[in-house]
Amino acid sequence: MFLSNTPTLSLAATGSTFPFQAKGISFSAPSSKVILGSGNPALGSESRTCSSLNGFFEGKDGAWARSLEWEHATIWIQALESKYGTYLNDALLKPNDKPKRLQDGDILCLGDHISPPPEGVSDKDVSLRPIHAKIGLLGMK
């Protein structure tokens, strides 16, 4: 197995997820942080452009954010102000609780299924689905 000097967190769509392109998020230096959240351009920040290399997701409403941090050869997640919830292996992470360690194979769920849907929106609309992602950790010792 190849280990690089730069840890990378991969997020791959799993289950009945909001569709997204697989992501490979690299941590450039120890104690670096990455935000997972909406890349909605309507929020007015060009720095939130969605990419397979960052933690921003297209088409979400911006009502959620999570912080990822690489420290001491470990990647941690912490829920910030998440209106729809953050789940790690089906356990709810509450805003500003202590960070949780991510491990290879964990399942991360960003948000809840919105039900009932807003008026005029079908319950089958994929934009109502949460993001379900399988965690992969690369370059970790």
Side-chain angles (χ1 to χ4, degrees), residues 22-71:
K23 294 185 174 283
I25 304 167
S26 294
F27 290 80
S28 58
S31 296
S32 58
K33 292 186 179 184
V34 172
I35 298 295
L36 295 181
S38 175
N40 190 338
L43 297 175
S45 173
E46 289 185 33
S47 64
R48 294 184 76 132
T49 302
C50 301
S51 159
S52 64
L53 302 175
N54 67 30
F56 298 119
F57 293 85
E58 233 173 291
K60 297 309 250 175
D61 70 4
W64 49 275
R66 290 98 182 145
S67 171
L68 296 171
E69 183 172 3
W70 169 43
E71 186 174 64

Side-chain angles (χ1 to χ4, degrees), residues 8-19:
T8 300
L9 172 82
S10 69
L11 298 174
T14 185
S16 178
T17 187
F18 174 83

